[in-house]
Amino acid sequence: MSFLADKSGKTFVAGHGGMVGTALHRKLTALGFTNIVVRTRAELDLTRQQDVEIFFDSERPSYVIICAAKCGGLHASTAAPAEYLRTNLSIVVNVLAAAHRCGSVRKLLFLAGATIYPEDAPQPIHESAILSGPPVPGSEWYAIARIIGIKLCQAYRQAGNGGMDAIAAAPNNIYGPREPFSTELTHVVPALIRRFHHAKLTGAPETVVWGSGTALREFTHVDDLVDAMLLLMDKYSDGEHVNIGSGMEVTVQELAETVKEVVGYHGRIVWDTSRPDGVPRRLLDSSKMRSLGWEPKVPLRDGIRDLYRLYLSCDDVLKLGLQKVVD
């Protein structure tokens, strides 16, 4: 029985409280899945091996989707390298090992990310570029754990005890609901929303954005990512991971201008070129994903507008007395 047809199969969503996990849980519920298993970090710390093993031995899920990770962008991982490497490596090793050992898991999907690829990988980046060079300096603390997750999926496919149908996916720059807005240690889309909103509220004549604005980026809405993940769970079974990207590139300057317009800020953007741009370009070759029948549906501007609406509903914004409407 395929995954999407087995709606009563016990499905463990690891990391259900994050952006991807929340969207995935919402989609599974809408599709009629009746046996979704989730745990908060207080209930199950995935970095604790014994606790993870006890959980799998007790619950014995049929399906596992690993969205759990400590993530927050280049600045965040650079600020706490040991924490990022240790936490993400522990989650990956513990969950995959316990899933294989318990013997009940029919299908497992591990979510990696585009940081697995080297800075000089040919564009658009094919799946075969993994391990063709080192990860981008600063992002290796996150990337190495994701690479190990992919290799563990491959290893457990060949392991004893019948192996395990473990697959992996590598999405590029995901954005959408449940993004954190509270600090600067976050991803570019919510960071820009917060920055331009604050400038609008205070009447600032200009707003500083890091870098030169020339770097190219590919953004995929989380709902489109979830559709791709479910398609992989249903139809894909192979050792090579699968790229997931919208195929639409924008410069960081174009992105900033779009966010500025959505927020309704009328000041000037000042580019702080003393700050790093990051990799000049990171476009994925997602032809394998598209060959399975997947196409992204959410235009970037629409996704940013929906995310700004969500931001305006947050408690910290309401305390500022701002009207909860996006024109």
Side-chain angles (χ1 to χ4, degrees):
M1 182 182 295
S2 71
F3 171 70
L4 290 177
D6 190 11
K7 290 183 169 54
S8 63
K10 184 175 286 190
T11 303
F12 174 45
V13 178
H16 76 286
M19 176 178 60
V20 177
T22 299
L24 175 61
H25 190 281
R26 183 173 61 246
K27 183 72 172 185
L28 289 171
T29 301
L31 289 172
F33 278 73
T34 59
N35 202 357
I36 307 170
V37 179
V38 297
R39 293 290 188 274
T40 65
R41 183 171 184 180
E43 295 169 331
L44 175 63
D45 186 346
L46 297 177
T47 67
R48 296 174 62 89
Q49 180 183 3
Q50 184 176 11
D51 293 355
V52 175
E53 290 179 351
I54 291 172
F55 165 79
F56 271 89
D57 287 343
S58 173
E59 291 294 336
R60 298 186 60 80
S62 298
Y63 306 101
V64 177
I65 304 177
I66 308 174
C67 307
K70 183 174 182 60
C71 55
L74 179 61
H75 183 55
S77 63
T78 302
E83 183 180 359
Y84 267 75
L85 181 57
R86 178 189 60 80
T87 300
N88 285 302
L89 189 57
S90 295
I91 292 171
V92 165
V93 172
N94 291 344
V95 175
L96 275 160
H100 177 255
R101 190 178 67 85
C102 79
S104 66
V105 178
R106 301 178 199 165
K107 189 72 169 279
L108 179 147
L109 170 62
F110 169 69
L111 199 63
T115 56
I116 62 175
Y117 296 115
E119 184 172 5
D120 60 354
Q123 307 281 334
I125 306 172
H126 189 268
E127 287 87 353
S128 60
I130 188 172
L131 295 180
S132 61
V136 176
S139 68
E140 69 266 36
W141 316 112
Y142 179 78
I144 287 172
R146 314 324 282 172
I147 293 171
I148 289 174
I150 291 172
K151 302 310 287 186
L152 276 174
C153 285
Q154 295 172 352
Y156 280 124
R157 293 182 67 85
Q158 305 173 37
N161 193 27
M164 179 172 64
D165 191 1
I167 61 174
N172 206 0
N173 292 316
I174 304 304
Y175 74 101
R178 298 286 305 203
E179 283 277 18
F181 290 97
S182 57
T183 72
E184 290 297 319
L185 302 179
T186 186
H187 293 288
V188 62
V189 174
L192 288 173
I193 287 176
R194 183 176 180 86
R195 190 166 298 188
F196 285 124
H197 172 77
H198 183 264
K200 173 185 174 180
L201 192 71
T202 59
E206 62 183 35
T207 300
V208 177
V209 179
W210 288 6
S212 66
T214 59
L216 284 162
R217 293 292 182 266
E218 175 187 36
F219 293 93
T220 305
H221 193 273
V222 67
D223 290 343
D224 286 330
L225 169 62
V226 165
D227 286 345
M229 292 168 63
L230 295 181
L231 189 58
L232 290 173
M233 283 290 291
D234 197 56
K235 293 186 175 181
Y236 188 74
S237 180
D238 193 74
E240 187 174 58
H241 64 284
V242 182
N243 287 339
I244 304 174
S246 66
M248 299 297 295
E249 284 185 293
V250 295
T251 64
V252 174
Q253 180 177 353
E254 290 169 335
L255 174 68
E257 292 288 351
T258 299
V259 175
K260 174 186 168 183
E261 292 172 10
V262 167
V263 170
Y265 172 63
H266 301 295
R268 185 168 65 96
I269 298 176
V270 176
W271 295 95
D272 181 0
T273 55
S274 69
R275 300 287 189 168
D277 281 324
V279 295
R281 188 187 186 201
R282 186 186 282 144
L283 175 66
L284 297 183
D285 178 349
S286 300
S287 56
K288 182 188 291 187
M289 189 70 241
R290 282 175 164 77
S291 71
L292 295 172
W294 175 81
E295 288 291 339
K297 300 173 183 175
V298 183
L300 181 59
R301 176 181 286 273
D302 291 352
I304 291 173
R305 185 169 56 244
D306 290 344
L307 189 53
Y308 185 49
R309 287 195 180 101
L310 175 66
Y311 177 62
L312 291 181
S313 71
C314 294
D315 288 343
D316 62 331
V317 177
L318 292 178
K319 290 175 183 176
L320 299 175
L322 196 71
Q323 185 179 2
K324 294 170 57 182
V325 174
V326 179
D327 296 328

